[in-house]
Amino acid sequence: MLASYISLFVFVSCFYFLILAVILRPHTILNNVFYLFVALLAVWSSANIFYNISTDEFFLKFWYKFAALGWCGILIAVFYLILALTDKYKNTPLVLKLSVVIYALAVYILILTDNGFVIDIYHGKYGAVERIDTNKLSFYMFYAGNIGAITAGFFLICGAVKKSKSNRFR
């Protein structure tokens, strides 16, 4: 139940940040990517509100798949946010940008077709409990994608800090 309250707080906070992103210079690439990031976080947290209080197995799986849209999309949003922060968005080849989107969609499709790494969901004392199979392809795809995005982001940001004289990076 506590997790649902936390998710509700995150959901309301996301709406606040979405409004700020729209009001403050809405036509910049950085704000548009931030808007995407916060919108996906709102999808994830809104699904988690109901996911943690559901007791029926059908609704647990439904809200899990709905939340997966958010946390699979976060991979795309983090990658694009790092590109926008480091001013590499326009110089990055379209093939690389599309491959990140296709990769995240492939993970989401695996989850939707019940080939995801969560093999069983049930309601426990503190909310939903997931049994994870670490031998499934989707497990490695999801975590390799997240680690790859974070690693690429780290190197892009470090490279941008070294080359930049802007106070935005320092």
Side-chain angles (χ1 to χ4, degrees):
M1 192 70 172
L2 177 64
S4 292
Y5 290 126
I6 293 170
S7 294
L8 180 63
F9 174 73
V10 171
F11 180 68
V12 170
S13 300
C14 286
F15 270 112
Y16 173 74
F17 288 120
L18 283 172
I19 291 169
L20 279 181
V22 169
I23 291 172
L24 302 173
R25 298 173 58 198
H27 300 295
T28 62
I29 290 175
L30 184 59
N31 276 6
N32 289 338
V33 173
F34 182 73
Y35 181 77
L36 172 70
F37 177 77
V38 174
L40 288 168
L41 187 61
V43 168
W44 183 5
S45 63
S46 68
N48 272 347
I49 293 169
F50 302 105
Y51 175 67
N52 287 309
I53 60 173
S54 296
T55 56
D56 185 37
E57 184 178 346
F58 172 78
F59 287 111
L60 280 169
K61 287 184 179 181
F62 171 78
W63 288 114
Y64 169 76
K65 290 177 182 180
F66 189 73
L69 176 65
W71 49 262
C72 285
I74 289 289
L75 173 66
I76 300 167
V78 165
F79 180 74
Y80 279 82
L81 190 62
I82 290 169
L83 288 179
L85 277 172
T86 58
D87 293 329
K88 304 273 188 197
Y89 186 81
K90 293 181 180 176
N91 298 336
T92 304
L94 183 62
V95 173
L96 181 62
K97 292 178 191 176
L98 287 177
S99 65
V100 171
V101 172
I102 292 169
Y103 186 83
L105 285 175
V107 173
Y108 185 62
I109 289 170
L110 283 173
I111 290 168
L112 282 182
T113 58
D114 291 329
N115 291 320
F117 51 87
V118 174
I119 55 175
D120 188 25
I121 304 171
Y122 58 92
H123 188 75
K125 183 177 178 182
Y126 299 109
V129 179
E130 303 168 356
R131 266 192 30 222
I132 296 175
D133 184 4
T134 58
N135 295 325
K136 291 214 172 192
L137 176 65
S138 60
F139 177 81
Y140 293 109
M141 283 180 69
F142 179 72
Y143 287 104
N146 284 334
I147 291 170
I150 290 169
T151 305
F154 176 75
F155 287 116
L156 282 171
I157 289 173
C158 286
V161 168
K162 285 182 181 178
K163 293 179 184 176
S164 175
K165 294 185 181 4
S166 171
N167 287 334
R168 184 170 101 181
F169 291 115
R170 300 207 185 263

